Every structure is written in structure tokens, then in C-alpha cells.
Amino acid sequence: MLPQSHAFKSGARIALGNQPLQKALGFMKTTGFPAKRLAAVQRLPEFEALREEGRTIKDRTLKHLDFYLETFEANVIATGGHVHWCRTAAEACETILKICRALDAKTVTKGKSMVAEEIALNEYLEKHGITPVETDLGEYIIQLRHEPPSHIIAPAIHLVKEQVAETFRAAHTDRDPDRPLNDGRILCDEARAELRQKFLAADVGITGANFLIAETGSSIIVTNEGNGDLTQTLTKAHIVVASLEKVVPTLEDASTILRLLARSATGQEFSTYTTVSTGPRRAEDTDGPGEYHVVLLDNGRTSMLGTEFQDMLRCIRCGACMNHCPVYQSVGGHAYGWVYPGPMGSVLTPTLVGIQEAGHLPNASTFCGKCESVCPMKIPLPKMMRHWREAEFARDLSPAVARRGLAVWAFLAKHPTLYRMLASAAIRLLALAGGRRGRFRTLPLAGGWTSVRDMPVPEGRTFHSLWASGKGRGTR
Amino acid sequence: MSGRDQILAGIRRSLNRGALDEATVATLRGGLAAPRRNLIPARATILDAEGRAALFRSMAEEVAATVEPIATLDAVPAAVADYLARLNLPPTVVAAPDPQLAAIPWDKRPLLTVRQGRVEDADPVAVTACFAGIAETGTLMLLSGPESPTRNNFLPDTHIVVMRKSQIVGTYEEAWTKLRARHGAGNWTMPRTVNFITGPSRTADIEQRVELGAHGPRRLHIILVEDGDGASQG
Ligand code: SF4
């Protein structure tokens, strides 16, 4: 399947001239997450000290990662569950399919999971005759719109409510077409009603995990909606798909990091639902899943250990770095072209999918340092972006990471949607750089997809410098 | 070599070492057997029981839960009936078959219909007990079990939780300690599900604006029973 030029044009338009996108992103700067985070952080005098604690816990864990994973596995087994070790996205997808087939599953409900996005699970399940239903409101909206998420905690953050209304009107066809859908309350209620039936009908529930607990063999999810809980409580089996750096030693360690997570993400003191799941339902229980599976994904993480990118494995996916990033605030998440946008994505994406494909992302930075200053896990994001730029510049890649990139490239090449997203990212950023200077209409938009795929060696200039010099349009 | 062994070997290779020696493993095991507390914010640790209850209440109310103090378990039926009447909700509840709720004299309010057990989809109101309240963030801690099905906390539009004041601890760490002590030291297991619940269900997925009642309960009402210490063993 070859990419097409009209998609390129519309992609550029999204980042640039699309008023709803700019309006939706505008909430970041006013009533949105950053202001709420600041208030929550200021309210907790120990917040800075807790960041240090969080960093220490994760570093301690990574140092003995093999021990904690083996112990986690032993405790999952001891409580009646199963652990499936998967090296690649493909292995994880196959494993999940096998579990679903063994239960004769027709539909699965899903809680929001970025790892499931990373392995392109929905696409895979659909291809094999199983219907995945996203149940997080934001994920549900973008699934109906056939869009990828644009934010790791608020996947539909690029939309305004009028667009959500349009989507619901088109999707929920057995409802009155003239019903009012003009505010968030009504939209939320409609989604609730639609999804309630799906929760009750689903065979298998799939969630991600914010933490895996070595001490107890538990997984923890953190949500606000309660969808992850209905997903895992009402189905025959609960499948947890988690990357292996999610493991922490004890419940105490998770509690410390939980104090950082919600405050950094949404500015809440604590998320509405923090749920610790251990094994399948007990013999005497009257509800809960009959089976509990943890699909433990590597997909390149172990290659990051011991490298200059190891610190990235501390990431708890709070989203603070993107919420505070001037580039993200301007272009939104889709421009980054893969599941992980913003500064954390600029570091992680080249690591996971290869610098050959995503080498331009580390340039999408003004190096203002805001991301690092808000990162609860004290990840030196600008430094790592600089690493990538240097690596990319010198083409002096560390062998493990480079090999990794090639393997994943092969996977991506078989997944056109992801591939297309990746390929479009640089162009959208550059288009934005031009557009900010009022040159949108003069951008060479007719270049077509073949030229996009055939990307030249990146020039190693920052987004900021391109922007400042006004030469963004000329780098192709 | 299995995928598992390859991943573990990859970790060791990246960390530039072989398998851990026995002494290190023993030390790490010890760390898991006796979990160490990390830094705990002072907010809830400096308070006495009254202070914890007050903090719990204000934190819970901040996230749109409602908290109603009552004197004794005897007063629960009236509190539930009046709460539902105030909101024009039908006087029909499903009560978890929880021993902690066993002493509630439901028949004192004949107009309140009470069924014991697990909620089904159409049931509008659940009444449950809880294992602990956590003052630092106004969080409830509920454990799954035959007497406390997890779905009762999520399916109904309205969730009413009956908690004794003596169940309120300061911090998450204190709650874990209480859980580990439940079946005697060294002999504890996790229930299938531990739910920490802080306010009613919500979402900010549309324009970063909070709406209550996304998929879980639209209302969380906490009835705080004053009947002193000793009664509560969780
Ligand atoms: S890099 Fe830091 S700020 Fe960004 S998502 Fe990860 S933990 Fe949060």
C-alpha cells in the first residue's frame, strides 16, 4: 500500500490551518493540565524530594531488573496467573490472540494502553476476526474516527467537542439524528450508555499497567473513568500488556511514585481509581476474571539498559513533558508520527523504531529545558535528544540500538498506518515552521509521498533554529 | 533459548554482568520480604485520629465525594434513605453481603428496598463497606472478596460507602501495613483486587474539562460512622 499525496496535504493542513486543532491545543495554556499540575505541586512541600525518591527507586530496580522480573513472574504464577515473555511486538500480538482464541473470544474491551498502541494490537486483532472496543472515552472517540492517539494520557486532546459530536452522530446511528450534542456532559453520557453494553458483552478485557509489583505479582492501573475496572472485572480473562520496565519492587515503592504520577499528569492529588490486580478471581469470589495473563513486552527496552538512553526507562508516562513543551503545544501529538509524542517521544521513538526512521524527532525541540524541569522522574530529556542528534549526525550508532531499529523497521514496513505516520512527521513539523512565518501557501506541498519516504540525511538543525531562520521550508 | 531466557540474558548483557550471585539475591529477597518505606509526606502523618478524619473529609469533598458523619450503624438506613430522597433517586439499594454491614438494621426503613449481593447492570445504588480510608488524599481502599464483589464499586450510578472513623489511616503505606497484618504477619495474600477510590468517576478527555460519571459511579457518598475504636477490624 503506497502512501498518497492527498494524505500529505491534509496532514500538513492539520498541523497548520486547522482551527479546531489550534483551539484544542490552546486549552493547554489556559485551563488545562499545566496550571493544574503547578497548583498540585505547590501544595505538596515534599514534591521535589519525592522526585528524587522516584528516580532512586527506578534506578535501583533497573540495576537488578532480571531479579525483579523473575520474582514478579514467580509471584504471578503463585497467585494463579500467567506471564508471557515477548521479545517483539509481533510476539505480543500473537500471544494475546492465542489467549483470546482459547477462550473463543469475539469481542475484547480495552482500557487505555500505550503499549497496546505500540504493538498495533487493535489492527492485529481485527485482522484475525476479533473486535477490540476501546473504552477510555478519549480512545473510544479516536477509535471511531480511525485516528491514532495524540497524547499519552489524553488521546483525543487534539479534538474540540464539536468534532466529538460529529463523530458520535455518525457512529451512533440508532439514536435521534437531531439530538443535541453540544456539551461535554451530554457527550460523556452518550458514550457511557453505548459502552455499558459493550462492557457487559465482552469476552476478554485488556488493560495496560502503570506498575508491576515484584513483591506480590500484581499489576496496577491508574484511571479516572473506571473503564479499566469494568474491563477487567466483567470478562472471562484479564490480559495485562506491559513493557518490562514497569516493574518496581514493592507496594511501598509504587505508592511513592503514585504520589508523583497524578500530580504530574493532570494535577490531581490522586487519580480517581488506582487498582491493584493480583491473579484471577479466587475460588470463593462472586466476580472477577477467571484468568489473569501478563504479556511482558521487551520490544527494545533491554537494549536501552546500559546505554545513554537507560534513564528513559524510568518514564512513568505521565505526559508532563509534552504538556509543557512549546513544540507539542504548537503542533499537537500527531505530528510526531508515532504513539509517543512530545519530548519523551522524541527520545523513545528513535530508540524503539530506529533512528533511520525517526531521526528527525530529536530536532523537534527548542531545548528550553521545560520538559526536564517538570519530569517527575528527573529524566534528562534534552540531553538525550542531544545524544540522538549527535548520533544521527555522526551516524555512529551504538550497535545494539541500531540493530533494534532495523528489526522494528521491518515490523513497521508491514504496518502501513504506522509507517505512514512516521514518514509524515518531519514534513508536518517543517510545514509548521514555515507556516508560523506565514509561508504556508508557498510550501512545496505537491512533493508527494514517495519523496517523503525517501528522506534525506537529516541536517541536524534544531526546530528552533529552523524556525528562527525561516528556512524550515527549504530543508527538503 | 526461550524468549524468556533471551530477554533475561539480554538484560544481563546490557548491564554488563552475569547472573546475580547468591548473596545479592538474598539481599534483594530480604528487601521484598520486609518492604522499606520511602519518604512519606508529612501532611497526614502529623495528625491524630480527629485530624485524619477531618483531612480525609476535606480531601474527599474536594474531588466531589460527599461525606456524611453519623453517630452509629443504626442510623445508616435513615442516612441512606434521606440521601436518596434528597437527590430524587429511587429508594432501592443493593448492599454487599459484607459482615461489616451485617449489624445495619435495614428494616428500620421499610420504604427502602434492600437486596443483598452482587449488583447487576440495572441496579442504581450500591452500598458497600471498605477496608480503610486514607486521609492524605481522601481515598477509600476496598478489597475484593466473596463479601465484596468488585463490580458493586463500579456498575451503579451511585456508590454509598459505609466507613467507621477508626478505619481512617494517614497514608498509603499505613494502609499496606494494615493489609499485610490482616491475616497475621508473614501469612498474608493479596485479594484479587484492591480498589483505591478517590471521588466519583470522571474524565477530562474532551477539551481537558472534568465531567463526572464517565463509566463508574456518578456519585460517591461516604457515610462516616463515629462509633469509636475496637469495632473495626477491617
Ligand atoms: S519523560 Fe518524564 S515527564 Fe515525560 S512522560 Fe515520562 S515521566 Fe512524564
Side-chain angles (χ1 to χ4, degrees):
Chain A
M1 183 156 93
L2 282 174
Q4 310 195 351
S5 57
H6 68 80
F8 169 47
K9 287 189 190 176
S10 67
R13 265 204 308 280
I14 285 170
L16 262 178
N18 192 324
Q19 288 311 308
L21 174 69
Q22 290 303 321
K23 185 180 169 207
L25 290 170
F27 293 119
M28 278 289 188
K29 296 170 199 148
T30 53
T31 52
F33 297 138
K36 289 177 182 153
R37 173 196 170 274
L38 186 63
V41 165
Q42 285 174 343
R43 218 174 146 188
L44 191 69
E46 294 90 346
F47 191 82
E48 272 311 303
L50 285 170
R51 286 176 75 201
E52 199 51 49
E53 295 272 296
R55 186 233 293 257
T56 309
I57 291 166
K58 281 282 192 175
D59 283 348
R60 201 158 35 86
T61 313
L62 291 172
K63 192 168 159 217
H64 298 123
L65 186 59
D66 47 349
F67 169 80
Y68 288 115
L69 289 173
E70 286 185 273
T71 308
F72 170 75
E73 178 192 40
N75 284 322
V76 172
I77 293 169
T79 46
H82 307 269
V83 176
H84 310 267
W85 302 69
C86 298
R87 287 162 298 185
T88 61
E91 284 184 11
C93 285
E94 285 156 21
T95 303
I96 292 168
L97 180 65
K98 216 183 285 168
I99 299 167
C100 291
R101 288 225 164 120
L103 288 161
D104 201 20
K106 302 283 182 295
T107 64
V108 306
T109 40
K110 285 181 68 207
K112 191 172 76 61
S113 156
M114 293 316 292
V115 172
E117 297 283 351
E118 178 183 328
I119 64 174
L121 181 61
N122 285 358
E123 195 178 301
Y124 184 87
L125 290 176
E126 273 166 14
K127 206 168 82 196
H128 292 86
I130 292 174
T131 308
V133 180
E134 294 290 352
T135 62
D136 170 84
L137 177 58
E139 286 280 348
Y140 176 66
I141 293 166
I142 61 167
Q143 189 184 30
L144 292 178
R145 295 172 64 90
H146 308 289
E147 285 175 349
S150 66
H151 192 284
I152 59 173
I153 64 159
I157 202 165
H158 58 287
L159 299 171
V160 292
K161 61 179 187 296
E162 291 75 18
Q163 293 170 296
V164 179
E166 243 171 67
T167 304
F168 282 9
R169 227 181 277 286
H172 305 153
T173 46
D174 45 2
R175 290 172 184 263
D176 175 5
D178 298 322
R179 66 196 182 282
L181 283 175
N182 53 357
D183 79 32
R185 174 75 264 151
I186 298 174
L187 292 166
C188 193
D189 282 342
E190 183 161 315
R192 179 188 172 102
E194 290 285 332
L195 283 165
R196 186 51 73 95
Q197 299 148 27
K198 314 250 178 183
F199 280 123
L200 296 163
D203 302 302
V204 168
I206 300 177
T207 70
N210 294 85
F211 303 93
L212 304 173
I213 311 294
E215 175 200 358
T216 55
S218 312
S219 55
I220 296 186
I221 60 167
V222 176
T223 72
N224 281 314
E225 300 185 4
N227 63 310
D229 292 284
L230 290 172
T231 294
Q232 61 172 284
T233 302
L234 302 178
T235 43
K236 286 185 243 176
H238 176 198
I239 303 177
V240 179
V241 43
S243 51
L244 44 75
E245 83 281 9
K246 296 277 165 36
V247 73
V248 294
T250 64
L251 294 164
E252 276 74 2
D253 292 330
S255 303
T256 299
I257 301 176
L258 281 165
R259 288 197 180 93
L260 294 164
L261 178 56
R263 290 183 175 94
S264 300
T266 55
Q268 289 170 280
E269 287 280 321
F270 211 47
S271 299
T272 306
Y273 301 115
T274 298
T275 299
V276 189
S277 309
T278 314
R281 68 196 277 178
R282 311 293 185 253
E284 61 282 8
D285 286 350
T286 56
D287 75 349
E291 294 181 17
Y292 177 72
H293 297 267
V294 180
V295 174
L296 196 58
L297 179 73
D298 182 349
N299 210 27
R301 269 86 175 169
T302 53
S303 307
M304 293 165 71
L305 277 176
T307 72
E308 59 270 57
F309 299 108
Q310 170 168 327
D311 290 343
M312 198 60 218
L313 296 173
R314 290 201 301 266
C315 175
I316 55 173
R317 305 288 189 265
C318 71
C321 55
M322 59 198 75
N323 293 344
H324 292 79
C325 173
V327 178
Y328 181 96
Q329 287 181 355
S330 301
V331 303
H334 286 160
Y336 291 80
W338 204 45
V339 292
Y340 301 111
M344 59 79 78
S346 295
V347 174
L348 201 58
T349 304
T351 318
L352 297 182
V353 309
I355 191 168
Q356 291 85 347
E357 281 309 304
H360 46 273
L361 288 183
N363 294 325
S365 164
T366 65
F367 290 94
C368 67
K370 193 72 189 160
C371 50
E372 182 174 0
S373 75
V374 297
C375 174
M377 302 309 285
K378 292 196 157 185
I379 298 171
L381 294 155
K383 189 178 104 194
M384 286 191 286
M385 281 188 253
R386 233 173 273 125
H387 275 316
W388 269 130
R389 294 188 55 218
E390 284 157 17
E392 164 196 24
F393 205 57
R395 284 283 154 181
D396 183 20
L397 311 177
S398 91
V401 172
R403 270 202 311 279
R404 194 57 233 160
L406 283 174
V408 180
W409 186 87
F411 168 75
L412 274 175
K414 291 185 212 124
H415 296 78
T417 317
L418 285 182
Y419 186 92
R420 204 162 51 235
M421 285 168 58
L422 267 177
S424 69
I427 298 308
R428 292 193 199 173
L429 282 173
L430 297 177
L432 180 97
R436 283 276 158 162
R437 303 195 54 92
R439 296 200 179 95
F440 174 49
R441 281 168 216 294
T442 69
L443 282 170
L445 286 182
W449 278 95
T450 42
S451 62
V452 175
R453 297 180 62 191
D454 188 23
M455 230 175 285
V457 175
E459 302 201 344
R461 302 191 62 189
T462 63
F463 176 72
H464 185 70
S465 72
L466 289 172
W467 185 332
S469 67
K471 285 181 184 152
R473 69 198 176 100
T475 49
R476 283 221 19 90
Chain B
M1 202 155 58
S2 70
R4 173 186 190 277
D5 293 345
Q6 279 189 31
I7 289 172
L8 290 169
I11 291 171
R12 288 169 192 142
R13 200 168 44 240
S14 292
L15 291 173
N16 216 357
R17 62 162 168 78
L20 292 166
D21 59 72
E22 272 174 40
T24 309
V25 169
T27 310
L28 295 174
R29 284 229 172 88
L32 297 185
R36 194 175 62 86
R37 290 182 177 184
N38 305 300
L39 172 78
I40 297 177
R43 181 191 285 180
T45 57
I46 54 175
L47 302 170
D48 61 7
E50 280 308 315
R52 282 196 299 274
L55 178 61
F56 176 89
R57 180 172 182 177
S58 72
M59 294 307 291
E61 287 176 345
E62 204 175 276
V63 290
T66 46
V67 180
E68 179 179 355
I70 60 170
T72 63
L73 274 183
D74 281 3
V76 169
V80 169
D82 293 347
Y83 170 78
L84 296 175
R86 276 200 302 279
L87 292 169
N88 272 326
L89 296 170
T92 307
V93 309
V94 176
D98 194 311
Q100 296 186 86
L101 304 179
I104 298 174
W106 290 112
D107 49 5
K108 269 186 153 180
R109 284 297 280 243
L111 289 182
L112 188 67
T113 312
V114 181
R115 180 167 64 77
Q116 300 262 330
R118 196 182 90 164
V119 301
E120 301 308 331
D121 177 38
D123 291 324
V125 184
V127 178
T128 73
C130 69
F131 178 69
I134 299 164
E136 68 172 300
T137 45
T139 300
L140 296 163
M141 181 185 193
L142 288 81
L143 312 181
S144 67
E147 69 289 346
S148 48
T150 301
R151 67 176 59 194
N152 290 29
N153 311 335
F154 291 94
L155 275 178
D157 270 9
T158 304
H159 185 193
I160 300 176
V161 179
V162 179
M163 176 170 70
R164 281 178 301 253
K165 209 159 146 186
S166 54
Q167 288 180 286
I168 299 177
V169 298
T171 64
Y172 315 125
E173 285 80 354
E174 289 166 59
W176 292 128
T177 300
K178 184 174 162 171
L179 177 63
R180 290 194 180 104
R182 191 168 62 133
H183 298 303
N187 187 31
W188 74 291
T189 52
M190 290 287 283
R192 150 62 205 173
T193 308
V194 179
N195 291 122
F196 292 96
I197 299 180
T198 312
S201 161
R202 68 199 57 211
T203 181
D205 273 353
I206 300 176
E207 297 187 350
Q208 299 177 53
R209 242 203 319 261
V210 174
E211 297 289 349
L212 297 182
H215 291 295
R218 299 168 191 275
R219 285 168 290 271
L220 176 66
H221 187 60
I222 302 164
I223 297 180
L224 193 54
V225 186
E226 295 273 351
D227 68 349
D229 294 303
S232 158
Q233 296 306 322

